Amino acid sequence: GGWFEGLVKNLDLDFHVVYLGYQGLIDQVESLYRQQRGYVHYWWEPEVLLARHKSVRMTLPKFSEECDSKLHPDPARSGIECEESSQNLFKIMNKELSVAEPDLLFLWQKFTISNTVQMDMMRSVRSDFGGL
């Protein structure tokens, strides 16, 4: 805890941190977007919410181990002033399936897709099939 609050404090941002949960944040963003009001939110990509509404990534100071070491659960004592570290996703496959279906294993090992392509796919589904 304390990362967002520490970041807001240390970068002297005029924000209030509010925790809404997954669906609460989606509902709030949808409401603010319909009202054409500005907002800042923390999210990940690729994600349907970003495919629905054009967003601009807020640039923060780059992550570093030194910056990360300044994090403290108490925001008043936290020195955090950088973006969070990237989290890489990984693929897993059932061992029995990989043995039984070597062609599927080959496809699984070789298949990659970028965030940009995934976002384009989400937008395409939305525009071609009426919404996500």
Side-chain angles (χ1 to χ4, degrees):
W3 187 86
F4 295 106
E5 294 85 347
L7 186 68
V8 167
K9 175 186 71 78
N10 295 326
L11 293 179
D12 198 28
L13 302 173
D14 189 18
F15 296 155
H16 296 278
V17 177
V18 179
Y19 293 90
L20 301 171
Y22 181 79
Q23 191 58 51
L25 179 62
I26 291 172
D27 294 344
Q28 184 69 23
V29 167
E30 296 281 352
S31 174
L32 292 169
Y33 189 82
R34 280 192 305 275
Q35 297 172 40
Q36 297 182 349
R37 292 181 54 199
Y39 57 90
V40 175
H41 62 90
Y42 178 80
W43 213 247
W44 59 89
E45 62 181 354
E47 221 292 329
V48 172
L49 183 65
L50 300 179
R52 283 185 189 152
H53 306 297
K54 185 174 182 166
S55 299
V56 176
R57 186 178 192 142
M58 184 176 169
T59 304
L60 298 170
K62 291 287 183 201
F63 173 84
S64 70
E65 294 297 329
E66 177 185 352
C67 179
D68 191 47
S69 70
K70 298 176 185 176
L71 177 62
H72 191 281
D74 177 354
R77 297 174 61 194
S78 181
I80 201 78
E81 57 188 20
C82 61
E83 65 186 9
E84 288 190 296
S85 66
S86 296
Q87 302 294 317
N88 292 322
L89 299 178
F90 56 90
K91 302 182 285 186
I92 59 173
M93 179 181 240
N94 177 283
K95 186 174 183 175
E96 289 81 19
L97 181 59
S98 69
V99 171
E101 299 290 341
D103 290 341
L104 184 57
L105 173 62
F106 178 80
L107 172 66
W108 190 245
Q109 290 172 330
K110 299 297 181 185
F111 182 79
T112 61
I113 187 168
S114 70
N115 286 355
T116 302
V117 169
Q118 290 180 68
M119 292 294 287
D120 289 345
M121 288 171 33
M122 288 180 212
R123 286 185 194 100
S124 173
V125 168
R126 181 171 181 248
S127 65
D128 293 345
F129 300 110
L132 297 171

